[in-house]
Amino acid sequence: MADTVLEIKNLVKKFNEHIIINGLNLKVQEGEVIVILGPSGCGKSTLLRCINGLEEIQSGSIKVQGRETVGNKKNAVLLRQKIGMVFQSYDLFPHLSVLGNIMLSPVKVQKRKKDEVKKEALELLEKVGLSDKADSYPRQLSGGQKQRVAIVRALILHPEILLFDEVTAALDPEMVREVLDVILGLAKQRRTMLIVTHEMQFAKAVADRIVFMDESKIIEEGGAKEFFEHPRTERAKKFLNVFTFEDIR
């Protein structure tokens, strides 16, 4: 049986008095790909930000590899390095080249040798089809290329978990495929991933498990095929009815 990489218990997140996440529980096993679905505003992206320590929580527990991240600053700093996050907005430094963006954290934060990091960065760029863009700057890249660079930047930190937050939302339709293909490749490598997306066909193809959220909590979860073909709750059925059969078959 696979090890539990991430365990969340009774998570509560509020903005002022507004409850964003209400008593959420979730376990993620090593090598598992979980896609988080749900209507806008249900707490999907906030959940990822809580996992990565970008949002403070009001109560509950988040453990990575059995170690608590909440309330222990030393643990939080160390464990955050085990969590790679890719945002929809890329967040690349405009004054650094592609290679400079990728190498910054492993060299400055993880204190790894520059030559080793550069070698790995170039290898990863080749795998995502960007070996010719190492010396380019973000302004010279398309949206899809920027997002692939952001994925490489996360991968080079050797994370235990990868978090993807609507990584195709800001892309033109023709660029979406190139980014999703990279993530599908990572799924085949059995990378542990949590993915927030509105791409239903992609969700069905990549997910081991679907987690469906609404009104600040998980209301249904199960295998991707089961969820899309036989949703159990009326809310999930209503959500899926928004999409045509062609979208998710």
Side-chain angles (χ1 to χ4, degrees), residues 89-234:
S89 56
Y90 327 127
D91 291 337
L92 301 179
F93 292 108
H95 65 289
L96 295 178
S97 67
V98 165
L99 200 57
N101 269 282
I102 295 168
M103 293 179 61
L104 184 64
S105 288
V107 171
K108 296 293 185 181
V109 178
Q110 295 182 329
K111 308 299 182 184
R112 288 158 57 187
K113 293 181 180 179
K114 187 177 292 186
D115 289 346
E116 293 177 3
V117 172
K118 183 177 181 179
K119 180 175 182 293
E120 184 179 359
L122 292 172
E123 290 172 352
L124 287 169
L125 283 171
E126 184 172 2
K127 287 180 180 178
V128 300
L130 293 175
S131 57
D132 60 333
K133 300 296 183 181
D135 297 322
S136 298
Y137 285 82
R139 65 180 180 276
Q140 299 170 308
L141 305 180
S142 69
Q145 289 170 335
K146 290 176 186 177
Q147 200 58 284
R148 282 183 281 162
V149 172
I151 292 171
V152 169
R153 183 180 57 183
L155 288 172
I156 203 165
L157 295 174
H158 303 160
E160 298 294 333
I161 310 168
L162 284 164
L163 310 177
F164 293 93
D165 185 17
E166 294 284 11
V167 293
T168 61
L171 301 181
D172 293 333
E174 64 267 24
M175 297 177 185
V176 170
R177 185 76 255 168
E178 63 192 49
V179 174
L180 297 186
D181 282 344
V182 171
I183 300 175
L184 282 165
L186 295 173
K188 291 177 182 177
Q189 297 171 23
R190 303 310 302 166
R191 295 271 190 169
T192 309
M193 296 189 283
L194 272 70
I195 303 168
V196 170
T197 185
H198 282 106
E199 300 280 347
M200 294 297 107
Q201 189 175 8
F202 169 67
K204 188 174 182 181
V206 76
D208 295 312
R209 180 159 44 116
I210 299 290
V211 168
F212 180 69
M213 292 182 64
D214 190 32
E215 296 184 348
S216 309
K217 55 190 176 184
I218 295 172
I219 65 170
E220 183 171 339
E221 59 181 301
K225 181 178 175 65
E226 175 191 2
F227 177 81
F228 283 109
E229 295 183 4
H230 305 288
R232 298 188 304 275
T233 62
E234 289 302 316

Side-chain angles (χ1 to χ4, degrees), residues 14-27:
K14 298 180 182 178
F15 289 132
N16 298 318
E17 294 304 310
H18 183 52
I19 298 175
I20 307 299
I21 299 174
N22 189 9
L24 185 142
N25 295 281
L26 181 66
K27 277 188 179 183

